Amino acid sequence: MRASNSSSEEQKFQVRKLQISDKNKGFIELLRQLTVCDSVSDKDFEDRFWELSALGRDDHIISVVEDESSSGKIIATGSIFHREKVLEELWQSWAH
């Protein structure tokens, strides 16, 4: 994704899944803009990251937007939750 600003510089943004290195790119500071968030150690962040990754499913995806035109700072984040139950109920209603 690219955007231009008034100084004719191009800004490049990358939308991707959360990575462990994102803690050092401002991910926690970004969350602090939305909620109260205590300090998080690197180990705690990595433990939680691997806990979510170990689920091995794509039913909970944490995405980030990285500003590639500057220092690689994380400027946005979002989560997607996929709930099978809703789809199962919908499928059963269509099957009858």
Side-chain angles (χ1 to χ4, degrees):
M1 181 182 325
R2 294 174 189 232
S4 359
N5 60 25
S6 59
S7 66
S8 299
E9 293 180 16
E10 277 194 9
Q11 292 180 304
K12 297 179 184 177
F13 303 102
Q14 180 183 16
V15 179
R16 58 172 173 72
K17 288 185 179 181
L18 179 70
Q19 300 172 353
I20 289 179
S21 61
D22 293 335
K23 181 181 183 291
N24 298 323
K25 295 180 179 182
F27 180 73
I28 300 299
E29 290 76 13
L30 180 64
L31 294 180
R32 285 189 180 123
Q33 294 177 17
L34 304 171
T35 189
V36 175
C37 181
D38 292 333
S39 108
V40 178
S41 72
D42 289 345
K43 182 180 181 335
D44 288 343
F45 186 84
E46 287 183 23
D47 288 348
R48 183 65 176 145
F49 177 88
W50 290 118
E51 182 182 325
L52 290 171
S53 296
L55 297 174
R57 298 171 27 199
D58 284 334
D59 62 350
H60 181 192
I61 300 170
I62 301 173
S63 297
V64 297
V65 178
E66 180 178 355
D67 183 352
E68 293 183 322
S69 63
S70 63
S71 62
K73 184 178 178 180
I74 301 301
I75 60 169
T77 186
S79 295
I80 299 171
F81 294 94
H82 176 263
R83 305 300 281 174
E84 284 293 329
K85 183 176 181 180
V86 172
L87 294 177
E88 288 175 12
E89 289 173 3
L90 185 59
W91 177 252
Q92 288 175 1
S93 68
W94 285 345
H96 294 288

